Amino acid sequence: MDLELLLDVMGCKTRRDILDLLRDEPRFVSQISRELEIGQKAIIEHLRAMEKAGLLSSTFQKIERGRPRKYYDISNDVEFQIFISQGTIRVKLPGHEFQELQLLEERARMGEDVSSDLENLIGNYDEAKKHAELLLRQVDERKRALKIRSLNLPVMFGEERSSEGGSQDEKP
């Protein structure tokens, strides 16, 4: 799921109102238009944007008379968190790492060539893995330092240990 697109969708009150309506049951354009008192043309544009963002899905249902109606529904659960603090703004989409892959998989099933997109995604996964491994090493090093401090032993980090003539394999 494209985070920028998702934030754009959620930044619009009308789109949030549409999502609120669709929580209860699928609806078609004229129902949404009538309930929100907004023109159908505008509703259609909002629905397209939300469908493009992956928030909505649509299906056609036959009615007794006339053309089938296109019903819109919330396509899947979406959760995201926004962290704002001094010097930091982060947006986190739990499970985001696989949502983009699922979208590419769907596009591939439709016959689209997604090779370059997959290569880019793999590169992003590799970068994320490297970053996560570095972070894990830092966390483990901090835990080790805290454990040593709790035993009242001197704390020595990797470079300090080797610069004092000791082997990096030695344990304090």
Side-chain angles (χ1 to χ4, degrees), residues 60-134:
F60 285 95
Q61 292 183 8
K62 291 183 179 183
I63 58 173
E64 282 186 33
R65 295 185 298 180
R67 298 182 311 163
R69 287 187 178 152
K70 188 174 186 179
Y71 282 82
Y72 291 87
D73 196 7
I74 295 175
S75 59
N76 51 32
D77 294 345
V78 175
E79 177 185 343
F80 66 97
Q81 301 167 339
I82 300 175
F83 300 98
I84 301 173
S85 65
Q86 190 69 31
T88 303
I89 296 177
R90 281 190 330 244
V91 180
K92 180 181 175 187
L93 282 171
H96 178 261
E97 60 277 354
F98 295 109
Q99 290 175 351
E100 192 170 347
L101 181 60
Q102 290 169 341
L103 289 173
L104 288 174
E105 185 177 19
E106 183 63 31
R107 286 174 45 202
R109 273 194 227 121
M110 301 298 276
E112 192 175 332
D113 181 9
V114 295
S115 302
S116 62
D117 292 329
L118 282 169
E119 289 171 1
N120 289 336
L121 188 59
I122 290 168
N124 291 342
Y125 286 167
D126 288 342
E127 285 299 312
K129 182 180 181 215
K130 287 176 191 175
H131 185 75
E133 288 170 342
L134 174 64

Side-chain angles (χ1 to χ4, degrees), residues 139-158:
V139 167
D140 287 345
E141 188 70 22
R142 284 189 197 112
K143 285 176 17 183
R144 186 187 71 74
L146 288 172
K147 184 176 181 182
I148 290 171
R149 281 191 192 122
S150 71
L151 297 172
N152 291 325
L153 297 174
V155 176
M156 298 176 72
F157 293 95

Side-chain angles (χ1 to χ4, degrees), residues 12-19 21 28-47 50:
C12 176
K13 181 169 178 5
T14 300
R15 292 176 183 175
R16 291 191 308 268
D17 290 344
I18 291 170
L19 285 171
L21 280 176
F28 54 94
V29 173
S30 62
Q31 283 179 308
I32 297 168
S33 174
R34 188 173 47 253
E35 291 183 46
L36 295 180
E37 297 179 354
I38 296 173
Q40 289 186 24
K41 209 171 188 181
I43 294 296
I44 289 169
E45 289 304 313
H46 288 299
L47 292 170
M50 294 165 69

